[in-house]
Amino acid sequence: MSLLRLIWRSYLTSALAPVFFIELALLAAYFITNSVISQQNITTLQRLATEQLQYIAQQQAEHISSQLASVTSNVDLLRRQAERAFVTPFVPDAEESSRYLFSQDGSLYTAYGLPGRAGLIYSKPTRISEPERAKALQLAQLDPLLQSLVETQPLVTQAYIDTADHLTRFYPYRDYKEVLAASGPGYDFSTYSYYYQADGKHNPERKVVWTDVHVDTSGKGWMTAATAPVYPGGGNRMEGVAGLDVTIDRFNQQVLQLHLPWNGYGMLVSQGSTIIALPKQAELDWGLKELTQYSYQQPLEHDIFKPDSFNLLKREDSRALGQRMASARQGLETLTLAGRGKQVAWSTVEGTDWKLLVVVNEADIFAEAHALNRRVLRVGLGLIAGLILFYALFFSWLYQKVRRMSALLADPLLNLEAMMQRIAQGAYSQPLPTYPIIELQRTGEGLVQMGHSLGQSNTSLQQARADLERLNQQLEERIHHRTRELEKANAALHQENTVKQALIQELQRTQSQLIQSEKLASLAHLTSGIAHELKNPLNFINNLSEASIELSQELERTLQERPQALLSEVQDIIIDFKQNATTVHQHGVRADHIIRSMMEHARGRSGTFEPTDVNPLVEQYLKLTYYGERARSPALEVRFVREFEPAVGKVLAMPQELGRVLQNLIQNAIYAVSMMQREAPSDYVPTITLRTRREGGHILLQVEDNGPGIPKDIQGRIFEPFFTTKPPRGGNTGLGLSLSYDIVRLHSGSLTVESEVGQYTRFTVRLPFNEECQTLTPG
């Protein structure tokens, strides 16, 4: 290798390459940091956006709920006033009476409108008689209320009363011929949803009901209605319905004019997942055109609802959203509409169970974060271009400098090489050279001095050879002596190893004795616990048996000494006998439960490990335990809340053993809420929540109750054998949680408890998640 290549390579490897790689590392750190920060920004934005969307949906749903609640309360007011109007005599003024005429088919109708007055059409299959005309005039007392409801409620477009005998009174007034053109003469109200949804069959509670979106029979186009049944005098005969109509166009104008971030928009969806109101902004995303008008080419003969394209459950792009909305009162879902990702938050409108949807583009949410990421990326690419240009110029300048330096070093080195060759040939005396570089000058001086030294060394070399032969002989003698010493040391080491082996065997015997002692101590502790638990019921049995013997002797003496003793005295003794026998039986049952629990605690585990579906197992043992408790306590009423993660998967377990754990935990929870119910206020609802979810590499099973809770000072003892907070009656042995704890540990899991006194108690079973068993079937 030439000196030029050597210096150039030295520069590259020792200086330039490390600096270059440091620059690359800094650039990599820059891009990695930018990527992490960008991803974190997107994650944070997504979380904040999710929370804000859900908050907006909830707030707007509450706002809409208040608006709809106002309509609902007004319908209820109209219903009550209508019920009074049917039974309250009323004589209208002459101006009102004069505008009622009969048509050629015998129908009664209002010929013209008056300010603040409603219209009327009364078209029975038979001709209208005078009592029926009087009823039509009697309902004119509702006109001020009908006018007030339409003109003071922004959402309401029409108020009306429809009776079972084909009378309809409506405000605002419309021409008789216009109504007939839309609905036809003598149409039957009972076939339309705004009427039959309020009748006794569909609405036995007699409450206000909201219809699905349909075409208005009186020519108002697409609308929804809030209706309530009219039962005059509170009787059982439904005379008709009172209703308020809200058009879809009015919904879009009054309800969905929301100012939402990220260019979002709101939608209303019915309880049956049909889109009630769709703003203009949403039509392109959903590929729909909102239905606000209807062409009445012929009279309506039946309900016309919105087409299936407006039903979320019947659309491919929104079926999953519709299913989630049907099962949750509020939430968030991601879906694709018109080729773009959307975030959809929803909340339930109270009173109607409609859903308010808030829809935003995902791209709009993360636009600022992506723009910042692009700017940072451009800065990084500029840095890379600058570094490339700098290193290209720097390497060119450095290469020229290396060439000059190599020429400055090469000539002295060649001169030194010639001097070394002459010294090697025996010319030990060389002239002193002169070089411009200090180190090379010193090297030349050293080489001259080395030549003188080699001459002297050559002279003394012969003498050194003689000395070396003498030293070799002395070394052999010392090696022989050292070998004998090592043999003696090996013998001593062997003896020491023999002693150590004996000590190790003694230590192993001692360890075996300690293990045996610990086993005996554990057995003694368990035996002490069993004896302590059995001692109490046995003491009761022995004491009450002695008391029963004394009572029998007293009864025998009483009968011998006083054969005519009063029956009451004998009965008192017999009652004492029964009480003693009952107590003996109870404590005998308790002793039997203790022995059974100990056998259960001590016996080997049954079954084999197999892939087990978590959610079905929890549901199975919930029903098994609850029905068993109901069989023992028919008055038991507990509300169960299931929070199961659908994709929680399977665990490798013994199903029967894991089921025993769930049964013990659910029984304890039922006992806790039952105890709480005895002392809690009347509005207390006993509630037990069962959860399943994935958390990291584990699957969690939780049983939580809103019972009295467990004090902090005894939470650490509840898994000990025989420890219980329950009264001893009923077979409570204190072994259920101890047995459950051992079963969970057998499954390589853990069982923990969290509790607040007076608030809740939550037991958590944490089991390892096994990826392989997710694709296996049990057995």
Side-chain angles (χ1 to χ4, degrees), residues 190-469:
S190 63
T191 62
Y192 296 91
S193 60
Y194 69 88
Y195 191 92
Y196 67 72
Q197 284 188 3
D199 63 18
K201 177 181 178 182
H202 298 87
N203 184 22
E205 301 89 351
R206 303 183 181 182
K207 62 182 181 180
V208 177
V209 295
W210 284 84
T211 69
D212 209 339
V213 177
H214 60 278
V215 176
D216 182 25
T217 57
S218 58
K220 293 291 186 178
W222 291 94
M223 54 157 290
T224 182
T227 62
V230 177
Y231 290 86
N236 293 324
R237 171 180 169 78
M238 176 178 159
E239 187 66 31
V241 298
L244 298 178
D245 288 347
V246 180
T247 64
I248 299 306
D249 186 55
R250 190 66 63 90
F251 257 125
N252 287 334
Q253 294 175 5
Q254 299 293 332
V255 178
L256 294 184
Q257 297 301 318
L258 308 177
H259 298 286
L260 302 177
W262 305 300
N263 300 319
Y265 57 84
M267 298 168 51
L268 270 179
V269 177
S270 72
Q271 188 175 5
S273 298
T274 297
I275 297 175
I276 295 176
L278 188 72
K280 288 285 186 181
Q281 188 180 355
E283 292 179 349
L284 180 61
D285 286 342
W286 296 89
L288 299 172
K289 182 72 174 177
E290 179 59 287
L291 304 175
T292 58
Q293 302 297 325
Y294 181 78
S295 177
Y296 291 86
Q297 297 178 354
Q298 57 185 5
L300 297 179
E301 297 180 354
H302 56 81
D303 272 325
I304 298 177
F305 296 106
K306 279 193 172 182
D308 290 347
S309 59
F310 282 80
N311 192 301
L312 300 186
L313 291 173
K314 297 179 181 180
R315 295 172 56 103
E316 289 295 332
D317 56 358
S318 61
R319 183 174 291 114
L321 173 63
Q323 292 172 348
R324 281 207 59 196
M325 288 171 53
S327 61
R329 298 188 66 80
Q330 62 182 12
L332 183 77
E333 183 75 9
T334 300
L335 73 159
T336 301
L337 295 175
R340 292 180 294 180
K342 303 286 184 178
Q343 290 283 340
V344 181
W346 75 86
S347 187
T348 301
V349 177
E350 298 297 334
T352 62
D353 282 339
W354 294 352
K355 299 292 189 299
L356 173 69
L357 278 65
V358 176
V359 184
V360 297
N361 288 326
E362 285 187 333
D364 292 338
I365 297 176
F366 307 129
E368 294 183 5
H370 289 312
L372 177 61
N373 189 33
R374 288 192 296 270
R375 288 196 296 270
V376 174
L377 181 61
R378 285 195 294 271
V379 171
L381 294 176
L383 289 174
I384 292 176
L387 284 175
I388 291 174
L389 178 60
F390 167 76
Y391 276 106
L393 296 175
F394 180 68
F395 281 5
S396 176
W397 172 81
L398 188 62
Y399 182 73
Q400 297 299 326
K401 187 174 181 63
V402 168
R403 290 187 63 182
R404 291 193 297 269
M405 183 179 294
S406 64
L408 185 63
L409 293 174
D411 293 340
L413 289 176
L414 292 174
N415 192 4
L416 290 174
E417 181 185 7
M419 186 184 297
M420 285 187 290
Q421 290 177 353
R422 291 193 297 271
I423 292 174
Q425 293 172 359
Y428 298 115
S429 296
Q430 295 292 325
L432 186 64
T434 302
Y435 302 129
I437 299 176
I438 295 176
E439 286 77 6
L440 291 176
Q441 177 65 30
R442 290 177 181 175
T443 301
E445 293 173 357
L447 191 58
V448 171
Q449 182 64 34
M450 183 187 68
H452 292 294
S453 299
L454 284 176
Q456 295 175 0
S457 298
N458 190 39
T459 303
S460 59
L461 182 59
Q462 300 298 326
Q463 181 64 34
R465 287 179 179 174
D467 294 340
L468 183 59
E469 290 179 357

Side-chain angles (χ1 to χ4, degrees), residues 115-141:
R117 304 293 178 93
L120 178 135
I121 297 175
Y122 200 172
S123 56
K124 291 182 59 177
T126 59
R127 190 171 186 85
I128 304 298
S129 61
E130 185 57 31
E132 292 163 332
R133 183 177 184 277
K135 181 173 75 170
L137 293 173
Q138 185 172 337
L139 293 181
Q141 60 184 298

